[in-house]
Amino acid sequence: MGDFILGRPRLVLLLALLLTLCCAAGAKNLKFNPDYRVFFAADNPDLIALEALEKRFSRAETVVIAVAPADGELFTRERLEAIRELTDSWSRLPYAKGASSISNYIEARAEGDDLLAEPLLPDDLARADLAAVARRAKADERLSGGLLSVKGDVAGVYLYFELPHQNPPVELNAVRAAVNAEVAQLRAAHPELRVALGGVLMFDAALQEQL
């Protein structure tokens, strides 16, 4: 093989060039699929179990937005209103089907012999006892480590999506652009808030962008 290559360098270079051109011609047909399921065989038992679970309930396609005030004080009227506005923005996002945060969290607590279920945040935050709201939120085990950090200084906004998966790259780009636009508005109106994005869809979008 070495003698052939050294004895016919021009032929070898021509063959290499032709091979490169053939490969390049097919490159236009390459597509990136951000769905991690493509790495599993159709008969993979774990994938089958996951799809059965999703068919019964729903597919977990989320964007998580973490909101943290620079001074650590989350429970002020302006900042809670900002979280409420961000939560309500789900209705403007493509493929979105709902959102969860402390702004729409239903609190269950006992008062005497009565069990009360009502929103953690009242509609009128200006008249609310926000110190009491903060104490109840930080003491609620269902919130701690999820919609609210253990210290109560970071709030999470979970956005839920149901993509049709007909054109994943286009759908992901649409979701990412819309979410980034809402976050940009939040940052402009509240520069004291630090905002970070996460979740399955943002991970897929970042991976797609890198590839």
Side-chain angles (χ1 to χ4, degrees):
M1 177 62 71
D3 292 339
F4 177 81
I5 295 174
L6 294 175
R8 300 174 178 81
R10 293 183 179 178
L11 177 60
V12 171
L13 289 174
L14 179 60
L15 291 175
L17 179 60
L18 290 175
L19 180 61
T20 301
L21 290 175
C22 289
C23 293
K28 66 180 185 298
N29 297 320
L30 293 176
K31 295 181 180 179
F32 172 70
N33 187 345
D35 192 344
Y36 60 86
R37 297 160 195 260
V38 300
F39 297 107
F40 299 90
D43 58 352
N44 182 281
D46 295 323
L47 181 61
I48 293 174
L50 175 63
E51 290 177 340
L53 184 68
E54 291 175 343
K55 185 176 181 180
R56 183 174 181 180
F57 297 99
S58 64
R59 185 167 178 169
E61 296 182 303
T62 59
V63 170
V64 182
I65 306 175
V67 181
D71 60 5
E73 183 55 55
L74 182 66
F75 288 86
T76 69
R77 183 181 63 82
E78 293 80 8
R79 293 166 185 178
L80 292 176
E81 287 287 4
I83 293 171
R84 175 175 283 167
E85 291 172 7
L86 184 61
T87 304
D88 293 343
S89 73
W90 76 265
S91 62
R92 300 189 293 271
L93 302 175
Y95 314 116
K97 60 179 183 178
S100 295
S101 77
I102 59 174
S103 74
N104 60 6
Y105 177 74
I106 301 300
E107 177 187 22
R109 69 178 190 275
E111 287 191 2
D113 295 331
D114 298 325
L115 180 62
L116 303 180
E118 57 187 12
L120 173 68
L121 300 186
D123 292 335
D124 189 356
L125 291 174
R127 297 184 178 182
D129 183 351
L130 296 184
V133 171
R135 287 194 299 269
R136 296 201 309 272
K138 294 174 184 179
D140 194 319
E141 295 181 354
R142 294 188 300 158
L143 284 177
S144 181
L147 298 179
L148 187 68
S149 66
V150 174
K151 293 182 179 180
D153 56 352
V154 182
V157 178
Y158 287 71
L159 305 174
Y160 307 106
F161 296 83
E162 189 170 355
L163 275 60
H165 294 277
Q166 297 176 354
N167 192 337
V170 172
E171 295 160 9
L172 276 177
N173 284 334
V175 170
R176 178 176 57 180
V179 171
N180 284 340
E182 294 294 339
V183 170
Q185 291 183 13
L186 176 68
R187 285 172 171 157
H190 302 275
E192 79 282 4
L193 296 180
R194 293 175 294 180
V195 184
L197 295 172
V200 173
L201 291 184
M202 297 308 294
F203 172 80
D204 289 345
L207 181 62
Q208 174 179 286
E209 183 178 11
Q210 293 301 316
L211 298 178

